[in-house]
Amino acid sequence: MHGWRCPLPTRTAGCRGDCGAAPLRGTAVTPGGGRKRLALPVLVAVSLLVVAVAVVSGPRLLNPFVMDGETCRMLLAIRLPRIAVALLMGGALGASGVVLQGVIRNPLADPYVLGISSGASLSAALGMLLPFDALPLQVPALAFAGALATGAMVGMLGSGRGGVLQERLLLAGVGVGFFLSAVLMLVLALCRDDGLRRAFLWMSGDLAAADWGRIPAGAAIVLAGLVLALARGEALNALALGDDIAHGLGFDPGRERRWLFAAAALMTAASVSLGGPVGFIGLVVPHLVRRSVGSVASLLLPLSALVGGALLCSADTVGRCAAAPEEVPAGVVAALIGSPYFLYRLFRERGR
């Protein structure tokens, strides 16, 4: 991946072309550009098409024009909640990837790489293994606490005298993420509960157990994180230009970074608590959407949420249909789709 692109249009007073960020390439995309006007409806239409295909596809095809009682029950009790969970999880991961990549100015950042998903997964798994539900939002609350604690730990380990250091932050995230994943595996290995297979599937991002019960809480947390990120959108644009420029534009980089980390932690925790950890959505989707509509946060955040949800929904649909009647977890399919695309982009950029 090449260097970071300036998220501000050149006519904006905050950026006069001397900010040090790489300029937008070729026809890239400034607000009001023709490419952006075309990309917007295309992305929305493709996402809606993916959802429509997910509704009718599966081990048993559903005809929306011929619905008997059994078909309605299957649609309402199984397929629609699963699609809703996929949209929420993918949307949360896509938007949190935008936040983290902008905050630390590194295109390799996502909740998985920075260890935030691992912290949320460990806390959520511990909550699932408890013999009782102490609180209505026990799992989401523990997942959020784990995500926030891990983000704070990685932030401290990745900071030096000059503030947050990108390479050090990434190394800290990878190290902490591996450690927490190892602890999670240890917990599952020592667990004598008969639900070990269920826990393994949950670790793979399996959506087969999705139901309406957790969707309201998950949706509320995802929405809270997205609204918080959008509210700090101008700060996110400024931080992508560097701390000095952000400070010159009137933002406190440390305070804004804490708000944005909290937003990413909220969305990551909600995603993990809904269906387990899923990689590559938060890494790939921001790149895909940024190439289509540019890097302005107010547009990039909601569209990444939309495309991330559609991508995970399509991965779940493929997982349900490819090996029917068996199912492949959506997280596995997402990694099989996302990793080749990411390697393709990596080698294409290196050849320029």
Side-chain angles (χ1 to χ4, degrees), residues 153-351:
M153 184 189 305
V154 171
M156 287 190 293
L157 293 174
S159 299
R161 293 182 178 178
V164 174
L165 306 175
Q166 296 179 24
E167 293 79 8
R168 186 167 169 171
L169 190 70
L170 281 178
L171 291 174
V174 171
V176 170
F178 272 121
F179 176 75
L180 295 178
S181 295
V183 174
L184 177 58
M185 291 300 173
L186 178 63
V187 170
L188 294 178
L190 296 178
C191 179
R192 296 181 180 178
D193 190 271
D194 292 335
L196 191 59
R197 172 176 167 77
R198 177 173 169 268
F200 172 77
L201 291 174
W202 179 78
M203 284 289 299
S204 304
D206 181 57
L207 306 185
D211 57 48
W212 291 111
R214 289 182 177 173
I215 289 178
I221 299 173
V222 171
L223 187 61
L226 185 59
V227 169
L228 177 58
L230 285 170
R232 315 311 300 177
E234 292 186 2
L236 183 60
N237 289 335
L239 286 173
L241 301 176
D243 285 8
D244 291 340
I245 294 178
H247 191 269
L249 292 173
F251 297 101
D252 181 339
R255 184 183 62 190
E256 299 298 341
R257 194 168 278 116
R258 286 192 290 274
W259 279 115
L260 289 164
F261 264 124
L266 274 171
M267 292 186 282
T268 303
S271 174
V272 169
S273 65
L274 282 169
V278 174
F280 280 101
I281 299 288
L283 185 63
V284 170
V285 167
H287 288 290
L288 189 65
V289 178
R290 190 179 292 116
R291 291 182 61 82
S292 301
V293 301
S295 300
V296 178
S298 59
L299 188 58
L300 183 59
L301 277 166
L303 275 181
S304 293
L306 177 67
V307 174
L311 181 57
L312 189 58
C313 189
S314 65
D316 184 52
T317 304
V318 172
R320 281 188 281 129
C321 301
E326 300 297 327
E327 292 191 4
V328 180
V332 175
V333 179
L336 291 174
I337 296 173
S339 52
Y341 173 79
F342 186 76
L343 291 174
Y344 162 73
R345 295 298 320 161
L346 184 67
F347 281 102
R348 183 175 178 184
E349 293 294 340
R350 193 181 68 170

Side-chain angles (χ1 to χ4, degrees), residues 57-77:
S57 301
R60 175 179 170 181
L61 292 176
L62 298 183
N63 185 344
F65 302 104
V66 181
M67 302 286 282
D68 54 22
E70 182 183 355
T71 304
C72 285
R73 284 192 296 273
M74 178 185 296
L75 181 65
L76 295 175

Side-chain angles (χ1 to χ4, degrees), residues 59-191:
R60 175 179 170 181
L61 292 176
L62 298 183
N63 185 344
F65 302 104
V66 181
M67 302 286 282
D68 54 22
E70 182 183 355
T71 304
C72 285
R73 284 192 296 273
M74 178 185 296
L75 181 65
L76 295 175
I78 299 176
R79 202 160 290 183
L80 287 183
R82 189 163 177 161
I83 292 172
V85 166
L87 292 174
L88 285 172
M89 288 178 62
L93 293 173
S96 57
V98 171
V99 171
L100 294 175
Q101 290 176 13
V103 164
I104 67 173
R105 302 187 69 203
N106 194 307
L108 295 178
D110 85 333
Y112 213 81
V113 173
L114 289 179
I116 296 176
S117 288
S118 299
S121 300
L122 176 60
S123 301
L126 292 175
M128 294 173 69
L129 293 175
L130 291 177
F132 57 93
D133 291 334
L135 299 169
L137 301 178
Q138 176 176 293
V139 173
L142 288 174
F144 174 65
L148 202 59
T150 306
M153 184 189 305
V154 171
M156 287 190 293
L157 293 174
S159 299
R161 293 182 178 178
V164 174
L165 306 175
Q166 296 179 24
E167 293 79 8
R168 186 167 169 171
L169 190 70
L170 281 178
L171 291 174
V174 171
V176 170
F178 272 121
F179 176 75
L180 295 178
S181 295
V183 174
L184 177 58
M185 291 300 173
L186 178 63
V187 170
L188 294 178
L190 296 178
C191 179

